[in-house]
mmCIF file of all heavy atoms in Angstrom:
data_model
loop_
_atom_site.group_PDB
_atom_site.id
_atom_site.type_symbol
_atom_site.label_atom_id
_atom_site.label_comp_id
_atom_site.label_asym_id
_atom_site.label_seq_id
_atom_site.Cartn_x
_atom_site.Cartn_y
_atom_site.Cartn_z
ATOM 1 N N LEU A 32 -28.925 -204.549 84.175
ATOM 2 C CA LEU A 32 -28.926 -204.250 85.599
ATOM 3 C C LEU A 32 -30.334 -204.108 86.188
ATOM 4 O O LEU A 32 -30.598 -204.649 87.267
ATOM 5 C CB LEU A 32 -28.105 -202.989 85.864
ATOM 6 C CG LEU A 32 -27.988 -202.575 87.334
ATOM 7 C CD1 LEU A 32 -27.313 -203.672 88.137
ATOM 8 C CD2 LEU A 32 -27.219 -201.267 87.453
ATOM 9 N N PRO A 33 -31.293 -203.415 85.540
ATOM 10 C CA PRO A 33 -32.634 -203.315 86.154
ATOM 11 C C PRO A 33 -33.307 -204.666 86.348
ATOM 12 O O PRO A 33 -33.867 -204.934 87.421
ATOM 13 C CB PRO A 33 -33.411 -202.437 85.154
ATOM 14 C CG PRO A 33 -32.357 -201.662 84.442
ATOM 15 C CD PRO A 33 -31.190 -202.567 84.333
ATOM 16 N N LEU A 34 -33.223 -205.554 85.348
ATOM 17 C CA LEU A 34 -33.834 -206.870 85.483
ATOM 18 C C LEU A 34 -33.156 -207.690 86.579
ATOM 19 O O LEU A 34 -33.831 -208.340 87.398
ATOM 20 C CB LEU A 34 -33.760 -207.628 84.152
ATOM 21 C CG LEU A 34 -34.344 -209.046 84.140
ATOM 22 C CD1 LEU A 34 -35.817 -209.028 84.505
ATOM 23 C CD2 LEU A 34 -34.124 -209.693 82.782
ATOM 24 N N GLY A 35 -31.833 -207.635 86.631
ATOM 25 C CA GLY A 35 -31.117 -208.347 87.685
ATOM 26 C C GLY A 35 -31.445 -207.814 89.064
ATOM 27 O O GLY A 35 -31.568 -208.583 90.031
ATOM 28 N N ALA A 36 -31.595 -206.498 89.186
ATOM 29 C CA ALA A 36 -31.939 -205.909 90.485
ATOM 30 C C ALA A 36 -33.329 -206.332 90.939
ATOM 31 O O ALA A 36 -33.552 -206.619 92.121
ATOM 32 C CB ALA A 36 -31.848 -204.381 90.398
ATOM 33 N N VAL A 37 -34.279 -206.400 89.998
ATOM 34 C CA VAL A 37 -35.637 -206.833 90.345
ATOM 35 C C VAL A 37 -35.638 -208.281 90.829
ATOM 36 O O VAL A 37 -36.263 -208.630 91.843
ATOM 37 C CB VAL A 37 -36.574 -206.652 89.138
ATOM 38 C CG1 VAL A 37 -37.930 -207.309 89.407
ATOM 39 C CG2 VAL A 37 -36.770 -205.173 88.844
ATOM 40 N N VAL A 38 -34.921 -209.155 90.118
ATOM 41 C CA VAL A 38 -34.847 -210.562 90.526
ATOM 42 C C VAL A 38 -34.176 -210.695 91.886
ATOM 43 O O VAL A 38 -34.624 -211.470 92.750
ATOM 44 C CB VAL A 38 -34.103 -211.378 89.452
ATOM 45 C CG1 VAL A 38 -33.887 -212.810 89.926
ATOM 46 C CG2 VAL A 38 -34.875 -211.384 88.149
ATOM 47 N N ALA A 39 -33.099 -209.939 92.111
ATOM 48 C CA ALA A 39 -32.406 -209.993 93.406
ATOM 49 C C ALA A 39 -33.309 -209.514 94.538
ATOM 50 O O ALA A 39 -33.329 -210.112 95.630
ATOM 51 C CB ALA A 39 -31.129 -209.161 93.342
ATOM 52 N N LEU A 40 -34.079 -208.460 94.308
ATOM 53 C CA LEU A 40 -34.985 -207.965 95.343
ATOM 54 C C LEU A 40 -36.095 -208.966 95.641
ATOM 55 O O LEU A 40 -36.483 -209.149 96.803
ATOM 56 C CB LEU A 40 -35.586 -206.620 94.910
ATOM 57 C CG LEU A 40 -34.625 -205.429 94.892
ATOM 58 C CD1 LEU A 40 -35.318 -204.187 94.360
ATOM 59 C CD2 LEU A 40 -34.064 -205.176 96.290
ATOM 60 N N LEU A 41 -36.602 -209.643 94.612
ATOM 61 C CA LEU A 41 -37.634 -210.662 94.838
ATOM 62 C C LEU A 41 -37.091 -211.826 95.667
ATOM 63 O O LEU A 41 -37.762 -212.312 96.588
ATOM 64 C CB LEU A 41 -38.170 -211.168 93.496
ATOM 65 C CG LEU A 41 -39.050 -210.203 92.700
ATOM 66 C CD1 LEU A 41 -39.437 -210.808 91.360
ATOM 67 C CD2 LEU A 41 -40.304 -209.836 93.494
ATOM 68 N N LEU A 42 -35.874 -212.271 95.352
ATOM 69 C CA LEU A 42 -35.276 -213.355 96.125
ATOM 70 C C LEU A 42 -35.029 -212.937 97.570
ATOM 71 O O LEU A 42 -35.279 -213.704 98.506
ATOM 72 C CB LEU A 42 -33.965 -213.801 95.467
ATOM 73 C CG LEU A 42 -34.086 -214.508 94.112
ATOM 74 C CD1 LEU A 42 -32.697 -214.796 93.539
ATOM 75 C CD2 LEU A 42 -34.863 -215.808 94.252
ATOM 76 N N ALA A 43 -34.535 -211.716 97.757
ATOM 77 C CA ALA A 43 -34.303 -211.226 99.114
ATOM 78 C C ALA A 43 -35.616 -211.108 99.892
ATOM 79 O O ALA A 43 -35.684 -211.455 101.082
ATOM 80 C CB ALA A 43 -33.585 -209.884 99.074
ATOM 81 N N ALA A 44 -36.681 -210.636 99.232
ATOM 82 C CA ALA A 44 -37.983 -210.520 99.907
ATOM 83 C C ALA A 44 -38.530 -211.894 100.288
ATOM 84 O O ALA A 44 -39.098 -212.065 101.375
ATOM 85 C CB ALA A 44 -38.972 -209.791 98.990
ATOM 86 N N GLU A 45 -38.346 -212.894 99.425
ATOM 87 C CA GLU A 45 -38.807 -214.244 99.760
ATOM 88 C C GLU A 45 -38.057 -214.801 100.970
ATOM 89 O O GLU A 45 -38.667 -215.416 101.864
ATOM 90 C CB GLU A 45 -38.621 -215.164 98.564
ATOM 91 C CG GLU A 45 -39.572 -214.866 97.409
ATOM 92 C CD GLU A 45 -39.330 -215.778 96.221
ATOM 93 O OE1 GLU A 45 -38.406 -216.616 96.296
ATOM 94 O OE2 GLU A 45 -40.062 -215.670 95.222
ATOM 95 N N MET A 46 -36.741 -214.597 101.020
ATOM 96 C CA MET A 46 -35.971 -215.095 102.164
ATOM 97 C C MET A 46 -36.378 -214.394 103.448
ATOM 98 O O MET A 46 -36.480 -215.014 104.512
ATOM 99 C CB MET A 46 -34.474 -214.922 101.894
ATOM 100 C CG MET A 46 -33.933 -215.862 100.831
ATOM 101 S SD MET A 46 -32.129 -215.808 100.669
ATOM 102 C CE MET A 46 -31.921 -214.192 99.927
ATOM 103 N N VAL A 47 -36.629 -213.086 103.375
ATOM 104 C CA VAL A 47 -37.046 -212.350 104.573
ATOM 105 C C VAL A 47 -38.412 -212.836 105.048
ATOM 106 O O VAL A 47 -38.646 -213.032 106.254
ATOM 107 C CB VAL A 47 -37.062 -210.839 104.284
ATOM 108 C CG1 VAL A 47 -37.731 -210.082 105.429
ATOM 109 C CG2 VAL A 47 -35.644 -210.331 104.081
ATOM 110 N N LEU A 48 -39.339 -213.075 104.131
ATOM 111 C CA LEU A 48 -40.665 -213.566 104.514
ATOM 112 C C LEU A 48 -40.593 -214.950 105.141
ATOM 113 O O LEU A 48 -41.318 -215.260 106.088
ATOM 114 C CB LEU A 48 -41.580 -213.591 103.287
ATOM 115 C CG LEU A 48 -42.004 -212.225 102.736
ATOM 116 C CD1 LEU A 48 -42.831 -212.395 101.465
ATOM 117 C CD2 LEU A 48 -42.796 -211.446 103.787
ATOM 118 N N ILE A 49 -39.710 -215.798 104.614
ATOM 119 C CA ILE A 49 -39.584 -217.149 105.180
ATOM 120 C C ILE A 49 -39.022 -217.096 106.592
ATOM 121 O O ILE A 49 -39.518 -217.768 107.506
ATOM 122 C CB ILE A 49 -38.705 -218.024 104.263
ATOM 123 C CG1 ILE A 49 -39.441 -218.322 102.956
ATOM 124 C CG2 ILE A 49 -38.329 -219.331 104.956
ATOM 125 C CD1 ILE A 49 -38.605 -219.063 101.938
ATOM 126 N N VAL A 50 -37.975 -216.291 106.778
ATOM 127 C CA VAL A 50 -37.337 -216.229 108.103
ATOM 128 C C VAL A 50 -38.250 -215.542 109.116
ATOM 129 O O VAL A 50 -38.472 -216.053 110.223
ATOM 130 C CB VAL A 50 -35.982 -215.502 108.002
ATOM 131 C CG1 VAL A 50 -35.395 -215.276 109.392
ATOM 132 C CG2 VAL A 50 -35.016 -216.311 107.150
ATOM 133 N N LEU A 51 -38.805 -214.380 108.762
ATOM 134 C CA LEU A 51 -39.654 -213.650 109.701
ATOM 135 C C LEU A 51 -41.012 -214.299 109.881
ATOM 136 O O LEU A 51 -41.649 -214.107 110.912
ATOM 137 C CB LEU A 51 -39.823 -212.202 109.222
ATOM 138 C CG LEU A 51 -38.541 -211.366 109.155
ATOM 139 C CD1 LEU A 51 -38.862 -209.951 108.715
ATOM 140 C CD2 LEU A 51 -37.820 -211.364 110.496
ATOM 141 N N GLY A 52 -41.453 -215.067 108.875
ATOM 142 C CA GLY A 52 -42.752 -215.725 108.996
ATOM 143 C C GLY A 52 -42.725 -216.993 109.821
ATOM 144 O O GLY A 52 -43.760 -217.620 110.033
ATOM 145 N N GLY A 53 -41.560 -217.408 110.291
ATOM 146 C CA GLY A 53 -41.491 -218.581 111.136
ATOM 147 C C GLY A 53 -41.609 -219.883 110.393
ATOM 148 O O GLY A 53 -41.986 -220.903 110.972
ATOM 149 N N ARG A 54 -41.278 -219.901 109.094
ATOM 150 C CA ARG A 54 -41.377 -221.126 108.322
ATOM 151 C C ARG A 54 -40.061 -221.891 108.295
ATOM 152 O O ARG A 54 -39.962 -222.922 107.657
ATOM 153 C CB ARG A 54 -41.815 -220.821 106.884
ATOM 154 C CG ARG A 54 -43.221 -220.277 106.806
ATOM 155 C CD ARG A 54 -43.640 -220.104 105.352
ATOM 156 N NE ARG A 54 -45.011 -219.647 105.245
ATOM 157 C CZ ARG A 54 -45.387 -218.382 105.254
ATOM 158 N NH1 ARG A 54 -44.466 -217.448 105.358
ATOM 159 N NH2 ARG A 54 -46.652 -218.047 105.160
ATOM 160 N N TYR A 55 -39.056 -221.370 108.907
ATOM 161 C CA TYR A 55 -37.766 -222.051 108.953
ATOM 162 C C TYR A 55 -37.579 -222.701 110.312
ATOM 163 O O TYR A 55 -37.988 -222.151 111.340
ATOM 164 C CB TYR A 55 -36.626 -221.058 108.678
ATOM 165 C CG TYR A 55 -35.277 -221.694 108.548
ATOM 166 C CD1 TYR A 55 -34.926 -222.403 107.409
ATOM 167 C CD2 TYR A 55 -34.362 -221.617 109.591
ATOM 168 C CE1 TYR A 55 -33.677 -222.994 107.282
ATOM 169 C CE2 TYR A 55 -33.115 -222.206 109.469
ATOM 170 C CZ TYR A 55 -32.788 -222.892 108.320
ATOM 171 O OH TYR A 55 -31.560 -223.481 108.218
ATOM 172 N N ALA A 56 -36.990 -223.872 110.311
ATOM 173 C CA ALA A 56 -36.833 -224.620 111.555
ATOM 174 C C ALA A 56 -35.963 -223.839 112.544
ATOM 175 O O ALA A 56 -34.862 -223.422 112.213
ATOM 176 C CB ALA A 56 -36.197 -225.978 111.274
ATOM 177 N N GLY A 57 -36.483 -223.653 113.735
ATOM 178 C CA GLY A 57 -35.740 -222.922 114.753
ATOM 179 C C GLY A 57 -36.105 -221.461 114.833
ATOM 180 O O GLY A 57 -35.683 -220.784 115.761
ATOM 181 N N PHE A 58 -36.899 -220.925 113.895
ATOM 182 C CA PHE A 58 -37.306 -219.528 113.897
ATOM 183 C C PHE A 58 -38.806 -219.454 114.145
ATOM 184 O O PHE A 58 -39.580 -220.292 113.663
ATOM 185 C CB PHE A 58 -36.976 -218.844 112.570
ATOM 186 C CG PHE A 58 -35.501 -218.652 112.342
ATOM 187 C CD1 PHE A 58 -34.758 -219.637 111.731
ATOM 188 C CD2 PHE A 58 -34.863 -217.506 112.767
ATOM 189 C CE1 PHE A 58 -33.405 -219.472 111.524
ATOM 190 C CE2 PHE A 58 -33.510 -217.320 112.566
ATOM 191 C CZ PHE A 58 -32.776 -218.319 111.947
ATOM 192 N N GLY A 59 -39.234 -218.456 114.864
ATOM 193 C CA GLY A 59 -40.655 -218.248 115.075
ATOM 194 C C GLY A 59 -41.262 -219.351 115.927
ATOM 195 O O GLY A 59 -40.698 -219.816 116.925
ATOM 196 N N ASP A 60 -42.475 -219.762 115.540
ATOM 197 C CA ASP A 60 -43.218 -220.772 116.296
ATOM 198 C C ASP A 60 -42.945 -222.187 115.824
ATOM 199 O O ASP A 60 -43.502 -223.134 116.381
ATOM 200 C CB ASP A 60 -44.724 -220.493 116.182
ATOM 201 C CG ASP A 60 -45.083 -219.131 116.754
ATOM 202 O OD1 ASP A 60 -44.360 -218.685 117.674
ATOM 203 O OD2 ASP A 60 -46.049 -218.514 116.277
ATOM 204 N N VAL A 61 -42.145 -222.358 114.777
ATOM 205 C CA VAL A 61 -41.878 -223.690 114.249
ATOM 206 C C VAL A 61 -40.738 -224.307 115.038
ATOM 207 O O VAL A 61 -39.634 -223.750 115.085
ATOM 208 C CB VAL A 61 -41.519 -223.633 112.748
ATOM 209 C CG1 VAL A 61 -41.207 -225.033 112.225
ATOM 210 C CG2 VAL A 61 -42.668 -223.013 111.973
ATOM 211 N N PRO A 62 -40.954 -225.438 115.684
ATOM 212 C CA PRO A 62 -39.868 -226.052 116.475
ATOM 213 C C PRO A 62 -38.833 -226.694 115.572
ATOM 214 O O PRO A 62 -39.089 -227.011 114.412
ATOM 215 C CB PRO A 62 -40.611 -227.109 117.307
ATOM 216 C CG PRO A 62 -41.801 -227.468 116.472
ATOM 217 C CD PRO A 62 -42.200 -226.194 115.748
ATOM 218 N N ALA A 63 -37.659 -226.867 116.130
ATOM 219 C CA ALA A 63 -36.598 -227.545 115.396
ATOM 220 C C ALA A 63 -36.954 -229.012 115.208
ATOM 221 O O ALA A 63 -37.676 -229.594 116.026
ATOM 222 C CB ALA A 63 -35.276 -227.402 116.136
ATOM 223 N N PRO A 64 -36.477 -229.642 114.131
ATOM 224 C CA PRO A 64 -36.805 -231.054 113.911
ATOM 225 C C PRO A 64 -36.208 -231.932 115.002
ATOM 226 O O PRO A 64 -35.159 -231.615 115.575
ATOM 227 C CB PRO A 64 -36.165 -231.347 112.545
ATOM 228 C CG PRO A 64 -35.098 -230.333 112.394
ATOM 229 C CD PRO A 64 -35.607 -229.105 113.074
ATOM 230 N N PRO A 65 -36.857 -233.047 115.312
ATOM 231 C CA PRO A 65 -36.339 -233.931 116.366
ATOM 232 C C PRO A 65 -35.037 -234.588 115.925
ATOM 233 O O PRO A 65 -34.763 -234.694 114.723
ATOM 234 C CB PRO A 65 -37.465 -234.962 116.533
ATOM 235 C CG PRO A 65 -38.168 -234.961 115.206
ATOM 236 C CD PRO A 65 -38.088 -233.546 114.722
ATOM 237 N N PRO A 66 -34.231 -235.023 116.850
ATOM 238 C CA PRO A 66 -32.979 -235.703 116.477
ATOM 239 C C PRO A 66 -33.248 -237.001 115.740
ATOM 240 O O PRO A 66 -34.231 -237.697 116.010
ATOM 241 C CB PRO A 66 -32.290 -235.947 117.827
ATOM 242 C CG PRO A 66 -33.401 -235.900 118.845
ATOM 243 C CD PRO A 66 -34.390 -234.904 118.302
ATOM 244 N N LEU A 67 -32.384 -237.317 114.813
ATOM 245 C CA LEU A 67 -32.558 -238.511 113.997
ATOM 246 C C LEU A 67 -32.185 -239.752 114.791
ATOM 247 O O LEU A 67 -31.298 -239.723 115.651
ATOM 248 C CB LEU A 67 -31.683 -238.403 112.745
ATOM 249 C CG LEU A 67 -31.994 -237.212 111.832
ATOM 250 C CD1 LEU A 67 -31.000 -237.154 110.687
ATOM 251 C CD2 LEU A 67 -33.421 -237.305 111.298
ATOM 252 N N PRO A 68 -32.851 -240.859 114.499
ATOM 253 C CA PRO A 68 -32.535 -242.093 115.237
ATOM 254 C C PRO A 68 -31.169 -242.634 114.842
ATOM 255 O O PRO A 68 -30.599 -242.262 113.812
ATOM 256 C CB PRO A 68 -33.662 -243.048 114.817
ATOM 257 C CG PRO A 68 -34.109 -242.534 113.488
ATOM 258 C CD PRO A 68 -33.958 -241.042 113.564
ATOM 259 N N ALA A 69 -30.665 -243.538 115.663
ATOM 260 C CA ALA A 69 -29.367 -244.153 115.392
ATOM 261 C C ALA A 69 -29.455 -245.035 114.152
ATOM 262 O O ALA A 69 -30.442 -245.743 113.939
ATOM 263 C CB ALA A 69 -28.916 -244.982 116.598
ATOM 264 N N GLY A 70 -28.414 -244.976 113.327
ATOM 265 C CA GLY A 70 -28.394 -245.756 112.096
ATOM 266 C C GLY A 70 -29.146 -245.138 110.945
ATOM 267 O O GLY A 70 -29.321 -245.783 109.905
ATOM 268 N N TYR A 71 -29.600 -243.879 111.095
ATOM 269 C CA TYR A 71 -30.328 -243.217 110.024
ATOM 270 C C TYR A 71 -29.359 -242.819 108.910
ATOM 271 O O TYR A 71 -28.266 -242.323 109.170
ATOM 272 C CB TYR A 71 -31.057 -241.992 110.557
ATOM 273 C CG TYR A 71 -31.772 -241.183 109.500
ATOM 274 C CD1 TYR A 71 -33.027 -241.545 109.048
ATOM 275 C CD2 TYR A 71 -31.171 -240.056 108.945
ATOM 276 C CE1 TYR A 71 -33.690 -240.814 108.092
ATOM 277 C CE2 TYR A 71 -31.817 -239.317 107.982
ATOM 278 C CZ TYR A 71 -33.068 -239.697 107.562
ATOM 279 O OH TYR A 71 -33.709 -238.962 106.598
#
């Protein structure tokens, strides 16, 4: 359980940093990707 809890906390911290840091499309200052062209 202690090792699993540490790994789970590290994964949760990485996801929080990605979302709050604006590295995900649509969050923060990063714009959403442009629409794909026809036939893509």
Side-chain angles (χ1 to χ4, degrees):
L32 182 61
L34 179 60
V37 171
V38 174
L40 290 176
L41 288 177
L42 291 176
E45 290 178 359
M46 289 188 289
V47 170
L48 290 176
I49 290 174
V50 173
L51 297 182
R54 294 185 177 88
Y55 187 75
F58 291 88
D60 299 331
V61 178
L67 300 176
Y71 176 82

